[in-house]
Amino acid sequence: MDQVAFRQLWRRFAELVHANKTALNELDAAIGDADHGSNMDRGLGKVVEALDAGPEGSLRADAKLVGMTLMSTVGGASGALWGSGMLKFSIALPDATVVEWSGFIDALDTFVEALSKRGQAVVGDKTMMDVLLPAMTELRASAEAQESGEEIVVALAEHAKGWSDATRELMARRGRAAYLGERSIGHVDPGSVSTALWFQALADTVRAQVP
Ligand SMILES: [Mg+2]
């Protein structure tokens, strides 16, 4: 993954969230406070602006910029989680313009671990971790099997959508939706949907890179 692709990944994520803004707000309206789409859309718009204006320093600098921007512009738990997680992610990236696929996966692992510690959510709690934790397991396994980055992320984007859809049947145990208890069952978790969109953005980016 190089710096051009990394910036493209965030541009694509911003596009996908923008296109799904209303749907994400509606999901959040059912079990939260109806702002997840608007929050993420506003924050990612700022991320794209910041990256476009940012100097071509390094992946680490770009990821730090993404993290700082998300922390300061996205409200609610999502902003704190995505923002602080991206700051951890940035530290795990090299101070260079290119990272090996294995190094990118290691950095993602750091991101997921940071979120796991901060949010204390596990699989089945009806949060973004219902996508992130199995995604990490799958990324690790496919990297060990030495599959190509493209094969991995295209399959992963589809699985991420499935894991997100599956949160519909779960009862929320973390975050605002947990107050609803059983009434949270029957609604997809919006944080899991936006997280699945990130994996879609990753797949679209990697696929566009391969000639
Ligand atoms: Mg909300």
mmCIF file of all heavy atoms in Angstrom, residues 65-117:
data_model
loop_
_atom_site.group_PDB
_atom_site.id
_atom_site.type_symbol
_atom_site.label_atom_id
_atom_site.label_comp_id
_atom_site.label_asym_id
_atom_site.label_seq_id
_atom_site.Cartn_x
_atom_site.Cartn_y
_atom_site.Cartn_z
ATOM 1 N N LEU A 65 -3.009 12.362 10.500
ATOM 2 C CA LEU A 65 -3.903 13.443 10.073
ATOM 3 C C LEU A 65 -5.353 12.943 10.048
ATOM 4 O O LEU A 65 -6.278 13.629 10.487
ATOM 5 C CB LEU A 65 -3.464 13.919 8.685
ATOM 6 C CG LEU A 65 -4.074 15.198 8.119
ATOM 7 C CD1 LEU A 65 -3.818 16.370 9.056
ATOM 8 C CD2 LEU A 65 -3.475 15.485 6.735
ATOM 9 N N VAL A 66 -5.546 11.729 9.547
ATOM 10 C CA VAL A 66 -6.888 11.125 9.500
ATOM 11 C C VAL A 66 -7.434 10.988 10.929
ATOM 12 O O VAL A 66 -8.562 11.393 11.221
ATOM 13 C CB VAL A 66 -6.869 9.740 8.809
ATOM 14 C CG1 VAL A 66 -8.208 9.018 8.964
ATOM 15 C CG2 VAL A 66 -6.520 9.877 7.322
ATOM 16 N N GLY A 67 -6.614 10.457 11.815
ATOM 17 C CA GLY A 67 -7.037 10.237 13.199
ATOM 18 C C GLY A 67 -7.404 11.531 13.909
ATOM 19 O O GLY A 67 -8.455 11.640 14.541
ATOM 20 N N MET A 68 -6.527 12.544 13.783
ATOM 21 C CA MET A 68 -6.770 13.830 14.439
ATOM 22 C C MET A 68 -8.045 14.469 13.902
ATOM 23 O O MET A 68 -8.844 15.030 14.652
ATOM 24 C CB MET A 68 -5.606 14.793 14.176
ATOM 25 C CG MET A 68 -4.250 14.303 14.646
ATOM 26 S SD MET A 68 -4.063 14.302 16.417
ATOM 27 C CE MET A 68 -3.682 16.022 16.688
ATOM 28 N N THR A 69 -8.228 14.376 12.577
ATOM 29 C CA THR A 69 -9.397 15.001 11.951
ATOM 30 C C THR A 69 -10.679 14.310 12.398
ATOM 31 O O THR A 69 -11.674 14.972 12.717
ATOM 32 C CB THR A 69 -9.269 14.956 10.402
ATOM 33 O OG1 THR A 69 -8.012 15.511 10.034
ATOM 34 C CG2 THR A 69 -10.381 15.725 9.731
ATOM 35 N N LEU A 70 -10.660 12.982 12.444
ATOM 36 C CA LEU A 70 -11.855 12.245 12.871
ATOM 37 C C LEU A 70 -12.184 12.537 14.328
ATOM 38 O O LEU A 70 -13.344 12.710 14.688
ATOM 39 C CB LEU A 70 -11.665 10.741 12.654
ATOM 40 C CG LEU A 70 -11.629 10.278 11.194
ATOM 41 C CD1 LEU A 70 -11.307 8.787 11.116
ATOM 42 C CD2 LEU A 70 -12.961 10.560 10.491
ATOM 43 N N MET A 71 -11.149 12.614 15.170
ATOM 44 C CA MET A 71 -11.377 12.889 16.596
ATOM 45 C C MET A 71 -12.049 14.236 16.778
ATOM 46 O O MET A 71 -12.911 14.398 17.635
ATOM 47 C CB MET A 71 -10.052 12.898 17.347
ATOM 48 C CG MET A 71 -9.477 11.534 17.525
ATOM 49 S SD MET A 71 -9.373 11.071 19.247
ATOM 50 C CE MET A 71 -7.767 11.641 19.636
ATOM 51 N N SER A 72 -11.625 15.224 15.972
ATOM 52 C CA SER A 72 -12.129 16.581 16.202
ATOM 53 C C SER A 72 -13.421 16.880 15.444
ATOM 54 O O SER A 72 -14.088 17.860 15.732
ATOM 55 C CB SER A 72 -11.052 17.614 15.839
ATOM 56 O OG SER A 72 -10.703 17.498 14.490
ATOM 57 N N THR A 73 -13.803 16.016 14.478
ATOM 58 C CA THR A 73 -14.998 16.364 13.691
ATOM 59 C C THR A 73 -16.153 15.371 13.802
ATOM 60 O O THR A 73 -17.277 15.730 13.494
ATOM 61 C CB THR A 73 -14.669 16.516 12.186
ATOM 62 O OG1 THR A 73 -14.072 15.295 11.726
ATOM 63 C CG2 THR A 73 -13.737 17.668 11.922
ATOM 64 N N VAL A 74 -15.866 14.131 14.194
ATOM 65 C CA VAL A 74 -16.949 13.153 14.294
ATOM 66 C C VAL A 74 -17.405 13.066 15.750
ATOM 67 O O VAL A 74 -16.603 12.815 16.633
ATOM 68 C CB VAL A 74 -16.503 11.750 13.805
ATOM 69 C CG1 VAL A 74 -17.654 10.755 13.922
ATOM 70 C CG2 VAL A 74 -16.011 11.816 12.376
ATOM 71 N N GLY A 75 -18.681 13.298 15.970
ATOM 72 C CA GLY A 75 -19.192 13.252 17.336
ATOM 73 C C GLY A 75 -19.442 11.825 17.793
ATOM 74 O O GLY A 75 -19.283 10.874 17.033
ATOM 75 N N GLY A 76 -19.811 11.688 19.027
ATOM 76 C CA GLY A 76 -20.220 10.400 19.571
ATOM 77 C C GLY A 76 -19.083 9.411 19.727
ATOM 78 O O GLY A 76 -17.906 9.751 19.577
ATOM 79 N N ALA A 77 -19.464 8.197 20.017
ATOM 80 C CA ALA A 77 -18.474 7.148 20.251
ATOM 81 C C ALA A 77 -17.657 6.878 18.993
ATOM 82 O O ALA A 77 -16.459 6.601 19.072
ATOM 83 C CB ALA A 77 -19.173 5.872 20.699
ATOM 84 N N SER A 78 -18.289 7.000 17.829
ATOM 85 C CA SER A 78 -17.593 6.679 16.577
ATOM 86 C C SER A 78 -16.360 7.540 16.379
ATOM 87 O O SER A 78 -15.314 7.048 15.961
ATOM 88 C CB SER A 78 -18.501 6.895 15.371
ATOM 89 O OG SER A 78 -19.726 6.288 15.590
ATOM 90 N N GLY A 79 -16.492 8.837 16.664
ATOM 91 C CA GLY A 79 -15.370 9.747 16.471
ATOM 92 C C GLY A 79 -14.195 9.375 17.353
ATOM 93 O O GLY A 79 -13.051 9.304 16.891
ATOM 94 N N ALA A 80 -14.489 9.096 18.626
ATOM 95 C CA ALA A 80 -13.431 8.744 19.569
ATOM 96 C C ALA A 80 -12.778 7.421 19.167
ATOM 97 O O ALA A 80 -11.553 7.283 19.232
ATOM 98 C CB ALA A 80 -14.002 8.652 20.976
ATOM 99 N N LEU A 81 -13.602 6.468 18.737
ATOM 100 C CA LEU A 81 -13.061 5.153 18.391
ATOM 101 C C LEU A 81 -12.247 5.200 17.106
ATOM 102 O O LEU A 81 -11.088 4.787 17.070
ATOM 103 C CB LEU A 81 -14.199 4.133 18.276
ATOM 104 C CG LEU A 81 -14.837 3.714 19.610
ATOM 105 C CD1 LEU A 81 -16.123 2.951 19.382
ATOM 106 C CD2 LEU A 81 -13.859 2.867 20.431
ATOM 107 N N TRP A 82 -12.854 5.710 16.037
ATOM 108 C CA TRP A 82 -12.130 5.805 14.758
ATOM 109 C C TRP A 82 -10.887 6.686 14.905
ATOM 110 O O TRP A 82 -9.807 6.366 14.406
ATOM 111 C CB TRP A 82 -13.028 6.383 13.658
ATOM 112 C CG TRP A 82 -13.869 5.369 12.943
ATOM 113 C CD1 TRP A 82 -15.200 5.114 13.153
ATOM 114 C CD2 TRP A 82 -13.452 4.481 11.888
ATOM 115 N NE1 TRP A 82 -15.613 4.126 12.302
ATOM 116 C CE2 TRP A 82 -14.580 3.722 11.514
ATOM 117 C CE3 TRP A 82 -12.227 4.260 11.243
ATOM 118 C CZ2 TRP A 82 -14.538 2.751 10.512
ATOM 119 C CZ3 TRP A 82 -12.180 3.292 10.240
ATOM 120 C CH2 TRP A 82 -13.324 2.558 9.889
ATOM 121 N N GLY A 83 -11.055 7.829 15.587
ATOM 122 C CA GLY A 83 -9.952 8.790 15.720
ATOM 123 C C GLY A 83 -8.787 8.224 16.517
ATOM 124 O O GLY A 83 -7.647 8.204 16.035
ATOM 125 N N SER A 84 -9.075 7.731 17.716
ATOM 126 C CA SER A 84 -7.984 7.220 18.556
ATOM 127 C C SER A 84 -7.387 5.963 17.930
ATOM 128 O O SER A 84 -6.176 5.738 17.992
ATOM 129 C CB SER A 84 -8.478 6.932 19.978
ATOM 130 O OG SER A 84 -9.462 5.924 19.968
ATOM 131 N N GLY A 85 -8.236 5.144 17.313
ATOM 132 C CA GLY A 85 -7.739 3.938 16.647
ATOM 133 C C GLY A 85 -6.796 4.268 15.505
ATOM 134 O O GLY A 85 -5.753 3.629 15.327
ATOM 135 N N MET A 86 -7.134 5.309 14.732
ATOM 136 C CA MET A 86 -6.267 5.698 13.613
ATOM 137 C C MET A 86 -4.948 6.277 14.100
ATOM 138 O O MET A 86 -3.929 6.155 13.422
ATOM 139 C CB MET A 86 -6.987 6.688 12.683
ATOM 140 C CG MET A 86 -8.024 6.061 11.770
ATOM 141 S SD MET A 86 -7.423 4.601 10.857
ATOM 142 C CE MET A 86 -6.201 5.336 9.788
ATOM 143 N N LEU A 87 -4.959 6.903 15.270
ATOM 144 C CA LEU A 87 -3.693 7.406 15.820
ATOM 145 C C LEU A 87 -2.777 6.235 16.182
ATOM 146 O O LEU A 87 -1.578 6.267 15.906
ATOM 147 C CB LEU A 87 -3.938 8.311 17.032
ATOM 148 C CG LEU A 87 -4.607 9.654 16.721
ATOM 149 C CD1 LEU A 87 -4.779 10.474 17.988
ATOM 150 C CD2 LEU A 87 -3.821 10.462 15.685
ATOM 151 N N LYS A 88 -3.353 5.190 16.766
ATOM 152 C CA LYS A 88 -2.565 3.980 17.067
ATOM 153 C C LYS A 88 -2.079 3.334 15.768
ATOM 154 O O LYS A 88 -0.947 2.869 15.654
ATOM 155 C CB LYS A 88 -3.407 2.957 17.840
ATOM 156 C CG LYS A 88 -3.874 3.430 19.181
ATOM 157 C CD LYS A 88 -2.801 3.261 20.242
ATOM 158 C CE LYS A 88 -3.344 3.606 21.612
ATOM 159 N NZ LYS A 88 -2.315 3.794 22.599
ATOM 160 N N PHE A 89 -2.982 3.310 14.787
ATOM 161 C CA PHE A 89 -2.673 2.758 13.470
ATOM 162 C C PHE A 89 -1.479 3.512 12.864
ATOM 163 O O PHE A 89 -0.561 2.894 12.309
ATOM 164 C CB PHE A 89 -3.927 2.919 12.600
ATOM 165 C CG PHE A 89 -3.830 2.455 11.181
ATOM 166 C CD1 PHE A 89 -4.027 1.123 10.862
ATOM 167 C CD2 PHE A 89 -3.593 3.349 10.147
ATOM 168 C CE1 PHE A 89 -3.984 0.684 9.535
ATOM 169 C CE2 PHE A 89 -3.544 2.922 8.823
ATOM 170 C CZ PHE A 89 -3.738 1.590 8.529
ATOM 171 N N SER A 90 -1.480 4.835 13.018
ATOM 172 C CA SER A 90 -0.411 5.654 12.418
ATOM 173 C C SER A 90 0.949 5.303 13.019
ATOM 174 O O SER A 90 1.951 5.239 12.309
ATOM 175 C CB SER A 90 -0.706 7.147 12.582
ATOM 176 O OG SER A 90 -0.438 7.582 13.893
ATOM 177 N N ILE A 91 0.959 5.066 14.327
ATOM 178 C CA ILE A 91 2.228 4.752 14.994
ATOM 179 C C ILE A 91 2.784 3.416 14.492
ATOM 180 O O ILE A 91 3.992 3.208 14.406
ATOM 181 C CB ILE A 91 2.046 4.734 16.534
ATOM 182 C CG1 ILE A 91 1.634 6.129 17.012
ATOM 183 C CG2 ILE A 91 3.317 4.284 17.240
ATOM 184 C CD1 ILE A 91 1.072 6.157 18.421
ATOM 185 N N ALA A 92 1.857 2.517 14.126
ATOM 186 C CA ALA A 92 2.275 1.189 13.655
ATOM 187 C C ALA A 92 2.719 1.206 12.186
ATOM 188 O O ALA A 92 3.308 0.241 11.708
ATOM 189 C CB ALA A 92 1.135 0.190 13.849
ATOM 190 N N LEU A 93 2.440 2.301 11.485
ATOM 191 C CA LEU A 93 2.851 2.394 10.075
ATOM 192 C C LEU A 93 4.271 2.934 9.974
ATOM 193 O O LEU A 93 4.709 3.687 10.847
ATOM 194 C CB LEU A 93 1.909 3.334 9.313
ATOM 195 C CG LEU A 93 0.550 2.790 8.897
ATOM 196 C CD1 LEU A 93 -0.269 3.912 8.253
ATOM 197 C CD2 LEU A 93 0.688 1.627 7.920
ATOM 198 N N PRO A 94 4.983 2.590 8.901
ATOM 199 C CA PRO A 94 6.343 3.119 8.761
ATOM 200 C C PRO A 94 6.326 4.606 8.402
ATOM 201 O O PRO A 94 5.340 5.099 7.844
ATOM 202 C CB PRO A 94 6.917 2.294 7.611
ATOM 203 C CG PRO A 94 5.747 1.846 6.819
ATOM 204 C CD PRO A 94 4.617 1.691 7.796
ATOM 205 N N ASP A 95 7.404 5.281 8.754
ATOM 206 C CA ASP A 95 7.556 6.689 8.396
ATOM 207 C C ASP A 95 8.076 6.733 6.959
ATOM 208 O O ASP A 95 9.168 7.193 6.684
ATOM 209 C CB ASP A 95 8.545 7.340 9.370
ATOM 210 C CG ASP A 95 8.449 8.847 9.331
ATOM 211 O OD1 ASP A 95 7.499 9.372 8.718
ATOM 212 O OD2 ASP A 95 9.334 9.498 9.904
ATOM 213 N N ALA A 96 7.253 6.193 6.050
ATOM 214 C CA ALA A 96 7.657 6.059 4.647
ATOM 215 C C ALA A 96 6.411 6.189 3.779
ATOM 216 O O ALA A 96 5.293 6.251 4.297
ATOM 217 C CB ALA A 96 8.296 4.683 4.433
ATOM 218 N N THR A 97 6.579 6.213 2.471
ATOM 219 C CA THR A 97 5.423 6.383 1.590
ATOM 220 C C THR A 97 4.841 5.054 1.123
ATOM 221 O O THR A 97 3.802 5.038 0.462
ATOM 222 C CB THR A 97 5.787 7.234 0.353
ATOM 223 O OG1 THR A 97 6.913 6.622 -0.287
ATOM 224 C CG2 THR A 97 6.139 8.667 0.740
ATOM 225 N N VAL A 98 5.489 3.953 1.460
ATOM 226 C CA VAL A 98 4.994 2.632 1.058
ATOM 227 C C VAL A 98 5.088 1.669 2.240
ATOM 228 O O VAL A 98 6.031 1.752 3.034
ATOM 229 C CB VAL A 98 5.834 2.040 -0.105
ATOM 230 C CG1 VAL A 98 5.253 0.700 -0.562
ATOM 231 C CG2 VAL A 98 5.885 2.993 -1.287
ATOM 232 N N VAL A 99 4.094 0.779 2.349
ATOM 233 C CA VAL A 99 4.170 -0.274 3.352
ATOM 234 C C VAL A 99 3.833 -1.607 2.677
ATOM 235 O O VAL A 99 2.974 -1.661 1.800
ATOM 236 C CB VAL A 99 3.213 0.013 4.549
ATOM 237 C CG1 VAL A 99 1.747 0.054 4.127
ATOM 238 C CG2 VAL A 99 3.397 -1.015 5.665
ATOM 239 N N GLU A 100 4.565 -2.644 3.077
ATOM 240 C CA GLU A 100 4.261 -4.000 2.588
ATOM 241 C C GLU A 100 2.866 -4.376 3.050
ATOM 242 O O GLU A 100 2.400 -3.899 4.098
ATOM 243 C CB GLU A 100 5.245 -5.005 3.204
ATOM 244 C CG GLU A 100 6.685 -4.845 2.784
ATOM 245 C CD GLU A 100 6.934 -5.411 1.399
ATOM 246 O OE1 GLU A 100 6.237 -6.380 1.035
ATOM 247 O OE2 GLU A 100 7.806 -4.875 0.691
ATOM 248 N N TRP A 101 2.214 -5.275 2.319
ATOM 249 C CA TRP A 101 0.880 -5.727 2.684
ATOM 250 C C TRP A 101 0.869 -6.276 4.114
ATOM 251 O O TRP A 101 -0.039 -5.983 4.904
ATOM 252 C CB TRP A 101 0.409 -6.763 1.669
ATOM 253 C CG TRP A 101 -0.974 -7.282 1.903
ATOM 254 C CD1 TRP A 101 -1.332 -8.569 2.143
ATOM 255 C CD2 TRP A 101 -2.193 -6.518 1.927
ATOM 256 N NE1 TRP A 101 -2.692 -8.659 2.318
ATOM 257 C CE2 TRP A 101 -3.252 -7.416 2.192
ATOM 258 C CE3 TRP A 101 -2.498 -5.161 1.763
ATOM 259 C CZ2 TRP A 101 -4.579 -7.012 2.291
ATOM 260 C CZ3 TRP A 101 -3.835 -4.748 1.868
ATOM 261 C CH2 TRP A 101 -4.847 -5.670 2.119
ATOM 262 N N SER A 102 1.912 -7.050 4.474
ATOM 263 C CA SER A 102 1.969 -7.637 5.826
ATOM 264 C C SER A 102 2.076 -6.539 6.889
ATOM 265 O O SER A 102 1.492 -6.645 7.969
ATOM 266 C CB SER A 102 3.148 -8.603 5.936
ATOM 267 O OG SER A 102 4.354 -7.915 5.711
ATOM 268 N N GLY A 103 2.799 -5.474 6.565
ATOM 269 C CA GLY A 103 2.933 -4.357 7.500
ATOM 270 C C GLY A 103 1.618 -3.604 7.656
ATOM 271 O O GLY A 103 1.280 -3.118 8.744
ATOM 272 N N PHE A 104 0.879 -3.532 6.554
ATOM 273 C CA PHE A 104 -0.437 -2.873 6.594
ATOM 274 C C PHE A 104 -1.390 -3.666 7.493
ATOM 275 O O PHE A 104 -2.124 -3.102 8.309
ATOM 276 C CB PHE A 104 -0.999 -2.755 5.173
ATOM 277 C CG PHE A 104 -2.303 -2.006 5.084
ATOM 278 C CD1 PHE A 104 -2.338 -0.622 5.209
ATOM 279 C CD2 PHE A 104 -3.494 -2.685 4.887
ATOM 280 C CE1 PHE A 104 -3.552 0.075 5.134
ATOM 281 C CE2 PHE A 104 -4.708 -1.997 4.809
ATOM 282 C CZ PHE A 104 -4.727 -0.611 4.939
ATOM 283 N N ILE A 105 -1.353 -4.992 7.362
ATOM 284 C CA ILE A 105 -2.207 -5.857 8.192
ATOM 285 C C ILE A 105 -1.804 -5.738 9.670
ATOM 286 O O ILE A 105 -2.666 -5.665 10.546
ATOM 287 C CB ILE A 105 -2.149 -7.327 7.703
ATOM 288 C CG1 ILE A 105 -2.795 -7.430 6.318
ATOM 289 C CG2 ILE A 105 -2.867 -8.261 8.681
ATOM 290 C CD1 ILE A 105 -2.742 -8.812 5.711
ATOM 291 N N ASP A 106 -0.500 -5.675 9.933
ATOM 292 C CA ASP A 106 -0.041 -5.495 11.325
ATOM 293 C C ASP A 106 -0.580 -4.185 11.905
ATOM 294 O O ASP A 106 -1.015 -4.139 13.059
ATOM 295 C CB ASP A 106 1.496 -5.463 11.387
ATOM 296 C CG ASP A 106 2.102 -6.848 11.187
ATOM 297 O OD1 ASP A 106 1.366 -7.847 11.333
ATOM 298 O OD2 ASP A 106 3.307 -6.925 10.875
ATOM 299 N N ALA A 107 -0.538 -3.135 11.093
ATOM 300 C CA ALA A 107 -1.022 -1.835 11.570
ATOM 301 C C ALA A 107 -2.531 -1.892 11.826
ATOM 302 O O ALA A 107 -3.031 -1.341 12.804
ATOM 303 C CB ALA A 107 -0.685 -0.740 10.559
ATOM 304 N N LEU A 108 -3.245 -2.590 10.949
ATOM 305 C CA LEU A 108 -4.693 -2.749 11.137
ATOM 306 C C LEU A 108 -4.991 -3.514 12.427
ATOM 307 O O LEU A 108 -5.958 -3.216 13.135
ATOM 308 C CB LEU A 108 -5.290 -3.533 9.969
ATOM 309 C CG LEU A 108 -6.065 -2.772 8.912
ATOM 310 C CD1 LEU A 108 -6.703 -3.756 7.952
ATOM 311 C CD2 LEU A 108 -7.136 -1.881 9.537
ATOM 312 N N ASP A 109 -4.158 -4.475 12.711
ATOM 313 C CA ASP A 109 -4.292 -5.252 13.939
ATOM 314 C C ASP A 109 -4.187 -4.321 15.152
ATOM 315 O O ASP A 109 -4.954 -4.442 16.114
ATOM 316 C CB ASP A 109 -3.168 -6.306 13.986
ATOM 317 C CG ASP A 109 -3.620 -7.598 14.628
ATOM 318 O OD1 ASP A 109 -4.823 -7.725 14.921
ATOM 319 O OD2 ASP A 109 -2.778 -8.481 14.837
ATOM 320 N N THR A 110 -3.242 -3.394 15.084
ATOM 321 C CA THR A 110 -3.057 -2.411 16.163
ATOM 322 C C THR A 110 -4.311 -1.551 16.316
ATOM 323 O O THR A 110 -4.753 -1.263 17.433
ATOM 324 C CB THR A 110 -1.856 -1.499 15.839
ATOM 325 O OG1 THR A 110 -0.740 -2.329 15.520
ATOM 326 C CG2 THR A 110 -1.506 -0.607 16.990
ATOM 327 N N PHE A 111 -4.877 -1.170 15.171
ATOM 328 C CA PHE A 111 -6.112 -0.368 15.151
ATOM 329 C C PHE A 111 -7.248 -1.133 15.844
ATOM 330 O O PHE A 111 -7.918 -0.609 16.744
ATOM 331 C CB PHE A 111 -6.465 -0.073 13.685
ATOM 332 C CG PHE A 111 -7.818 0.531 13.448
ATOM 333 C CD1 PHE A 111 -8.066 1.875 13.715
ATOM 334 C CD2 PHE A 111 -8.859 -0.231 12.926
ATOM 335 C CE1 PHE A 111 -9.315 2.442 13.480
ATOM 336 C CE2 PHE A 111 -10.106 0.327 12.686
ATOM 337 C CZ PHE A 111 -10.331 1.667 12.969
ATOM 338 N N VAL A 112 -7.428 -2.384 15.453
ATOM 339 C CA VAL A 112 -8.524 -3.194 15.993
ATOM 340 C C VAL A 112 -8.317 -3.456 17.488
ATOM 341 O O VAL A 112 -9.254 -3.379 18.287
ATOM 342 C CB VAL A 112 -8.682 -4.516 15.203
ATOM 343 C CG1 VAL A 112 -9.718 -5.421 15.850
ATOM 344 C CG2 VAL A 112 -9.064 -4.220 13.752
ATOM 345 N N GLU A 113 -7.068 -3.699 17.862
ATOM 346 C CA GLU A 113 -6.765 -3.941 19.274
ATOM 347 C C GLU A 113 -7.045 -2.694 20.119
ATOM 348 O O GLU A 113 -7.585 -2.792 21.230
ATOM 349 C CB GLU A 113 -5.299 -4.351 19.412
ATOM 350 C CG GLU A 113 -5.026 -5.191 20.631
ATOM 351 C CD GLU A 113 -3.673 -5.864 20.524
ATOM 352 O OE1 GLU A 113 -3.503 -6.737 19.643
ATOM 353 O OE2 GLU A 113 -2.788 -5.481 21.302
ATOM 354 N N ALA A 114 -6.703 -1.537 19.581
ATOM 355 C CA ALA A 114 -6.947 -0.277 20.297
ATOM 356 C C ALA A 114 -8.445 -0.075 20.514
ATOM 357 O O ALA A 114 -8.886 0.308 21.597
ATOM 358 C CB ALA A 114 -6.358 0.894 19.520
ATOM 359 N N LEU A 115 -9.237 -0.367 19.490
ATOM 360 C CA LEU A 115 -10.692 -0.211 19.600
ATOM 361 C C LEU A 115 -11.282 -1.226 20.561
ATOM 362 O O LEU A 115 -12.214 -0.934 21.301
ATOM 363 C CB LEU A 115 -11.353 -0.367 18.223
ATOM 364 C CG LEU A 115 -11.623 0.956 17.497
ATOM 365 C CD1 LEU A 115 -10.338 1.693 17.225
ATOM 366 C CD2 LEU A 115 -12.398 0.702 16.235
ATOM 367 N N SER A 116 -10.717 -2.414 20.525
ATOM 368 C CA SER A 116 -11.183 -3.492 21.375
ATOM 369 C C SER A 116 -10.966 -3.115 22.847
ATOM 370 O O SER A 116 -11.843 -3.292 23.690
ATOM 371 C CB SER A 116 -10.414 -4.752 20.993
ATOM 372 O OG SER A 116 -10.836 -5.827 21.740
ATOM 373 N N LYS A 117 -9.789 -2.555 23.133
ATOM 374 C CA LYS A 117 -9.473 -2.133 24.505
ATOM 375 C C LYS A 117 -10.358 -0.978 24.938
ATOM 376 O O LYS A 117 -10.896 -0.967 26.033
ATOM 377 C CB LYS A 117 -8.012 -1.668 24.576
ATOM 378 C CG LYS A 117 -7.045 -2.805 24.789
ATOM 379 C CD LYS A 117 -5.741 -2.289 25.408
ATOM 380 C CE LYS A 117 -4.692 -3.392 25.435
ATOM 381 N NZ LYS A 117 -3.554 -3.096 24.596
#
